[in-house]
């Protein structure tokens, strides 16, 4: 019987935190999703790992036995993966949709020129993980949008800013406007990312510009296709980077400049123990976006 290492990481987090809510926050996943994965692991093993109560999660005898074994297993696995990837000369780079826009291809080309024989494995993350794989150590470096939850734990450099615009259904009463003030949108239902994403989600809901006005969520989506479908169907509007109009044009959705909101910030972030290959990638990012190349 095979068990995904991610399930073991989830189990270890719950065991260490003793609380589903704290473990979910630490892993940047929703509590229902974490509960589902725990049940999946227990079903795989055929045992109950925790006793649930109002005070938290207590390990059963079986849970204690697994908790003693999991940390060294994960350490050994991470070491094996690191050694294998080093031998293969592959740099894994996490990213969120339209992260560095047109600059991404040039960044990758510059890195491959600097590191002859290396290739870059670009790994897209859903919006439910605004760290683009950094939080779960799936990638050592990522191109993403700032701010993101827990970014103080990573190396972070800003690359560039771009305006935010509004995406709305082509049948929306404001769709024919050349420009829209955010004050005209503040009471509109929104298409939002999954909950629990803190400062990242707040930025895209423009919480600081709402002046205390409540957010009406019309739909929650994780991927670009379902996001665009929800907007086209009139479930809500959404603030997006201006570049989205270039990358995600589709019938039924229009993009309009919006005033009264701050711009979006693109950044590169990396694990604090990153190796020289990651440092080179970051330098390429900074050089090609005309940012101070000192890392």
């Amino acid at each position: 019987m095979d068990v995904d290492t991610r399930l073991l990481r989830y189990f270890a987090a719950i065991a260490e935190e003793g609380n589903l809510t704290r473990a979910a926050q630490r892993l940047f996943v929703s509590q229902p999703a974490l509960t589902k994965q725990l049940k999946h692991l227990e079903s795989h093993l055929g045992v109950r790992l925790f006793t649930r109560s109002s005070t938290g999660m207590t390990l059963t005898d079986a849970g204690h036995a697994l908790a003693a074994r999991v940390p060294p297993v994960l350490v050994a696995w991470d070491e094996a993966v690191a050694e294998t990837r080093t031998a293969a000369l592959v740099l894994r780079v996490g990213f969120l949709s339209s992260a560095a826009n047109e600059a991404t291809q040039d960044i990758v080309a510059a890195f491959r020129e600097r590191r002859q024989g290396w290739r870059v494995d670009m790994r897209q993350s859903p919006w439910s993980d605004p760290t683009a794989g950094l939080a779960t150590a799936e990638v050592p470096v990522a191109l993403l949008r700032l701010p993101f939850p827990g970014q103080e734990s990573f190396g972070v450099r800003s690359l560039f800013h771009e305006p935010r615009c509004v995406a709305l259904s082509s049948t929306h009463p404001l769709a024919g406007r050349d420009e829209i003030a955010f004050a005209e949108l503040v009471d509109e239902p929104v298409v939002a990312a999954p909950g629990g994403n803190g400062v990242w989600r707040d930025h895209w809901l423009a919480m600081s510009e709402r002046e205390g006005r409540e957010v009406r969520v019309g739909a929650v989506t994780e991927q670009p296709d379902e996001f665009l479908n929800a907007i086209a169907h009139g479930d809500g509007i959404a603030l997006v980077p201006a570049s989205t109009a270039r990358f995600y044009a589709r019938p039924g959705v229009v993009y309009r400049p919006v005033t009264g909101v701050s711009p979006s910030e693109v950044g590169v972030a990396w694990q604090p123990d990153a190796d020289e290959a990651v440092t080179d990638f970051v330098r390429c990012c900074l050089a090609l976006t005309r940012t101070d190349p000192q890392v």
Side-chain angles (χ1 to χ4, degrees), residues 167-237:
L168 62 168
S169 169
S170 58
T171 61
H172 192 283
L174 298 176
R177 297 271 292 277
D178 292 331
E179 186 177 81
I180 304 171
F182 182 68
E184 299 179 80
L185 301 168
V186 72
D187 293 322
E188 292 280 338
V190 299
V191 178
N197 291 332
V199 293
W200 190 86
R201 191 170 189 261
D202 288 350
H203 174 74
W204 292 107
L205 294 178
M207 297 302 294
S208 61
E209 288 92 348
R210 288 181 174 273
E211 298 181 348
R213 300 282 284 275
E214 184 178 353
V215 177
R216 295 171 55 206
V217 177
V220 176
T221 63
E222 289 192 62
Q223 299 286 355
D225 284 344
E226 58 181 356
F227 169 78
L228 293 172
N229 284 335
I231 291 174
H233 295 157
D235 294 334
I237 59 104

Side-chain angles (χ1 to χ4, degrees), residues 144-161:
L144 32 63
R145 298 276 169 171
L146 308 177
F148 64 89
Q151 74 176 52
E152 64 279 357
S153 300
F154 304 99
V156 178
R157 289 293 299 271
S158 174
L159 298 179
F160 59 87
H161 293 76

Side-chain angles (χ1 to χ4, degrees), residues 81-168:
V81 169
E83 292 174 6
T84 301
R85 284 172 174 155
T86 297
L89 302 180
V90 176
L91 178 66
R92 291 164 296 121
V93 178
F95 74 100
L96 298 180
S97 60
S98 72
N101 304 326
E102 290 89 345
T104 302
Q105 184 174 350
D106 291 338
I107 291 169
V108 171
F111 173 79
R112 294 182 65 182
E113 179 67 23
R114 181 185 288 257
R115 289 255 168 180
Q116 295 291 323
W118 282 67
R119 68 178 179 86
V120 175
D121 180 10
M122 300 295 297
R123 298 192 174 191
Q124 183 171 0
S125 290
W127 293 325
S128 56
D129 179 14
T131 74
L134 288 173
T136 53
E138 294 177 22
V139 297
V141 62
L143 295 166
L144 32 63
R145 298 276 169 171
L146 308 177
F148 64 89
Q151 74 176 52
E152 64 279 357
S153 300
F154 304 99
V156 178
R157 289 293 299 271
S158 174
L159 298 179
F160 59 87
H161 293 76
E162 67 170 311
R164 284 187 284 177
C165 67
V166 62
L168 62 168

